[in-house]
């Protein structure tokens, strides 16, 4: 049952309508919240699997860096709804199309931050690692990645916050998520409370993820270890 189906809804304030909607549809809101979160996480996770190794690769092959980052920049400039529509033609409707859309928009921040993080590692530290007899793989896992992890986490943080917004438009192709609630509110006669029931959890999700990943980013910063 939706708030727009309640009797005498016009006599209630927006706040009262909002509370009433959650009383009647709390389970549905939580279901869409969980779905929205998982779509965002999967898209960013798949992007990280591709972008982090690629970032390390172009950090070692500088001539490719400009080309790869430029391509990622171009993809980022395509409007989200247009990208979703194009992918829908190729992949059909549903969750997988939205996950792939999130994947595309998550590539750039993760790639750029990985590249910047690896490039920021002090060359003297790398020379010392070579002098100790470390292999390139050992240097990457034991020196470069730990020192660049804070910057990489910053890219993941940005990607996840962006992905939460991208996932909201998945409602247009039947992927579900909190965008469904917002869309139902837009379609309702007096749907302000329904829109808020979708928009507020979406904003809270983005804020909580930003705070959480920001905390992890600070903990991974080598400077914080030195201070302790």
């Amino acid at each position: 049952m939706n708030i727009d189906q309640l009797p005498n809804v016009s006599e209630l304030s927006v706040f009262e309508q909002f509370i009433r909607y959650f009383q009647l549809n709390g389970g549905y809101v939580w279901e869409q919240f969980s779905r929205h979160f998982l779509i965002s996480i999967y898209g960013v996770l798949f992007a990280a699997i591709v972008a982090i190794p690629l970032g390390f690769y172009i950090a070692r092959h500088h001539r490719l860096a400009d080309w790869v980052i430029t391509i990622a920049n171009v993809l980022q400039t395509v409007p989200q709804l247009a990208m979703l529509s194009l992918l829908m033609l190729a992949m059909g409707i549903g969750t997988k199309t939205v996950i792939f859309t999130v994947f595309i928009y998550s590539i750039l921040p993760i790639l750029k931050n990985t590249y910047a993080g690896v490039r920021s590692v002090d060359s003297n530290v790398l020379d010392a690692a070579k002098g100790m007899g470390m292999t390139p793989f050992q240097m990457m896992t034991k020196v470069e990645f730990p020192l660049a992890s804070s910057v990489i986490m910053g890219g993941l943080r940005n990607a996840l916050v962006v992905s939460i917004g991208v996932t909201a438009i998945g409602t247009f192709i039947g992927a579900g998520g909190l965008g469904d609630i917002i869309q139902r509110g837009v379609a309702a006669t007096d749907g302000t409370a329904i829109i808020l029931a979708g928009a507020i959890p979406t904003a809270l999700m983005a804020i909580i993820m930003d705070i959480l990943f920001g905390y992890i980013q600070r903990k991974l910063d080598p400077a914080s270890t030195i201070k302790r």
Side-chain angles (χ1 to χ4, degrees), residues 76-153:
Q76 197 80 4
T77 62
V78 178
Q80 296 170 2
L81 194 55
M83 179 67 76
L84 189 67
S85 300
L86 291 173
L87 291 176
M88 182 182 66
L89 295 175
M91 302 176 63
I93 63 175
T95 304
K96 63 180 181 180
T97 304
V98 182
I99 291 176
F100 195 71
T101 304
V102 170
F103 165 83
I104 290 175
Y105 284 102
S106 298
I107 287 286
L108 181 63
I110 300 173
L111 177 66
K112 289 181 71 174
N113 276 46
T114 302
Y115 174 74
V118 175
R119 293 286 293 158
S120 69
V121 176
D122 193 332
S123 59
N124 293 325
V125 175
L126 297 177
D127 289 339
K130 288 180 183 178
M132 293 173 63
M134 284 189 177
T135 64
F137 181 76
Q138 287 175 325
M139 289 175 58
M140 180 183 71
T141 56
K142 295 183 178 181
V143 179
E144 291 176 305
F145 186 79
L147 292 176
S149 58
S150 175
V151 182
I152 295 172
M153 183 56 66

Side-chain angles (χ1 to χ4, degrees), residues 170-184:
T171 182
F172 294 110
I173 61 169
L178 293 168
D180 271 15
I181 301 175
I182 296 172
Q183 181 62 23
R184 291 171 72 173

